[in-house]
Amino acid sequence: MLTKQDKAIAGITLSHGTLGILWIFWVASQIGYPVVFIAANLVLAVAGIAAGLGWFYRKLWAAYLAIAFYFVQLVHVLTPSFQWSFTLGFNFNIGLGWIDSGQLALNLFALAMLIWASSRAFAPNNSFKPTPLRGAA
């Protein structure tokens, strides 16, 4: 049986991925539908949806996928020649920026979810342990 915390993590992750799809197409419509942007973010959104659904079904792989899902969104690097920024619309970034050189930021939302998901996935009372059969020795 899932704990309330596990249900919350699964729900947030599933919602994040699902609403992320809407965000992807909204942003893409504003900047001209760049194929690389859409493809990379759709892969991330589908991973979030899969992780959320898998977490509801108590699959251990879903915990690892959720951890990776939030890890990818943790750091944002924007320079004239390189960009690494994934948020799917949910972010609270704090960072340093230089007008012509770039920006380095940390997504505090992703950090909080990464810590929470990791702590639940590796907790001694996590929900991913198989339920013993009734009457089994």
Side-chain angles (χ1 to χ4, degrees), residues 28-88:
S29 72
Q30 303 299 310
I31 60 175
Y33 294 99
V35 175
V36 173
F37 170 84
I38 292 172
N41 282 285
L42 277 178
V43 167
L44 183 62
V46 169
I49 292 168
L53 287 173
W55 201 302
F56 274 122
Y57 286 103
R58 299 175 49 210
K59 302 296 183 189
L60 186 57
W61 60 261
Y64 294 121
L65 186 57
I67 290 166
F69 176 73
Y70 289 112
F71 184 77
V72 166
Q73 299 178 64
L74 195 58
V75 176
H76 298 268
V77 179
L78 304 171
T79 69
S81 59
F82 177 78
Q83 294 185 2
W84 177 271
S85 182
F86 292 95
T87 64
L88 297 180

Side-chain angles (χ1 to χ4, degrees), residues 25 61 65 100 108 117 120-121:
F25 287 107
W61 60 261
L65 186 57
D100 292 330
L108 296 180
R120 286 301 306 144

Side-chain angles (χ1 to χ4, degrees), residues 109-133:
F109 173 76
L111 179 61
M113 288 304 299
L114 178 66
I115 291 169
W116 191 19
S118 298
S119 69
R120 286 301 306 144
F122 300 112
N125 65 339
N126 71 43
S127 298
F128 303 107
K129 294 181 174 66
T131 306
L133 296 174

